[in-house]
Amino acid sequence: MDYYSTQKKPLRLITIPVSHYCEKARWALTKLKINFVEEAHTPPFHTFATNRVGGKLTPVLVTENGVFTDSTDILQYLDSIVSENVKLYPTNPELRKQAEELEELFDSQLGPATRRWGYSYATNDYKIMQRVWTKGIPFIERFVFPIVFYRMRSVVSKRFNITPENVASDYRTINNIFQQVRALLADGRPYLMGDNFSVADLTFAALAAPVIQPPEHPIKPFPLEKLSPQLASEISQFRSTPAGDFVLRLYRDERNCST
Ligand SMILES: N[C@@H](CCC(=O)N[C@@H](CS)C(=O)NCC(=O)O)C(=O)O
């Protein structure tokens, strides 16, 4: 019997809506057609939800087999419960190792860089922050968001050490990883691991999304003309690279879902 026919109740995914690590988990759940409910919270309220199940950061996945508090652990768990033909991790051990190395590269370098780059533009913009932090959150958190916004923007700025030097360094990190992705795709392969969509593609696209703003992202991005000229220009530049184009294609072809 496969997982889908035995799943008793939906899995719980605790998120901060905009978090790209949460998007990585959400995309995997959707792609694997696993029944789940998203419990979205705006910072700092996410901590009440994550603490209650023994976690700290988001995403957290609550299942009948345990609680998973890191996006990679979540994907590995999900992969272990689905059938062979839909797995996100290659079954060949050598290919699996390469896919895991790419996942780790994107998690450890691309994710922090795109997050700080994104917040460097967004933290002072009420409209952007409201859109990206409040989708699907409880009414009370939405109600107090105006207060939270003014308090949290300095917290975010300090937490991520947003300085012009650091943001410039993030920009270089992002470009460097985009070059590595370009090199991997240079032989004409459709996906990073070859012919099949895998965890490497999903992780790359989810964590690159803040600088690409794909139209299919569950948090619908603002049209570029509604953004500041500098932000719009940087997104356009990232989109026009081969790696940026790859992200747009992955969202278009592999993210077709309602969440
Ligand atoms: N390595 C973790 C990173 C998770 C992470 O950094 N989550 C951020 C959102 S992008 C978070 O929950 N931050 C809230 C906080 O710092 O309290 C993963 O892959 O799940």
Side-chain angles (χ1 to χ4, degrees), residues 15-122:
T15 67
I16 293 171
V18 75
S19 158
H20 49 358
Y21 294 101
C22 295
E23 164 63 358
K24 178 183 162 191
R26 188 196 285 127
W27 187 342
L29 282 156
T30 314
K31 182 86 189 153
L32 297 172
K33 298 192 170 56
I34 292 174
N35 188 9
F36 74 103
V37 284
E38 180 166 350
E39 296 173 16
H41 295 279
T42 201
F45 301 108
H46 67 284
T47 51
F48 298 119
T50 55
N51 286 348
R52 212 172 290 142
V53 292
K56 186 166 178 259
L57 304 180
T58 60
V60 171
L61 186 73
V62 182
T63 79
E64 51 207 20
N65 296 319
V67 175
F68 299 87
T69 57
D70 175 87
S71 65
T72 297
D73 294 343
I74 292 173
L75 265 63
Q76 291 192 352
Y77 169 70
L78 296 177
D79 214 55
S80 74
I81 59 175
V82 296
S83 45
E84 286 295 312
N85 56 332
V86 294
K87 284 189 185 298
L88 291 168
Y89 290 83
T91 38
N92 171 302
E94 184 52 35
L95 289 181
R96 180 173 179 128
K97 187 164 165 281
Q98 286 171 24
E100 285 176 345
E101 281 168 6
L102 283 172
E103 181 184 21
E104 172 58 22
L105 170 75
F106 302 143
D107 277 346
S108 62
Q109 293 189 27
L110 182 66
T114 55
R115 175 172 56 195
R116 185 161 55 197
W117 180 93
Y119 277 137
S120 76
Y121 281 104

Side-chain angles (χ1 to χ4, degrees), residues 215-245:
E216 298 81 4
H217 196 284
I219 297 176
K220 209 170 160 35
F222 281 110
L224 291 192
E225 56 280 12
K226 293 243 164 104
L227 302 176
S228 73
Q230 195 192 342
L231 177 55
S233 149
E234 292 202 11
I235 292 170
S236 297
Q237 279 174 37
F238 281 125
R239 281 182 181 173
S240 68
T241 63
D245 190 49

Side-chain angles (χ1 to χ4, degrees), residues 117-129 132 149 231:
W117 180 93
Y119 277 137
S120 76
Y121 281 104
T123 39
N124 288 323
D125 188 317
Y126 184 85
K127 277 202 175 131
I128 295 185
M129 290 302 285
V132 303
F149 169 73
L231 177 55

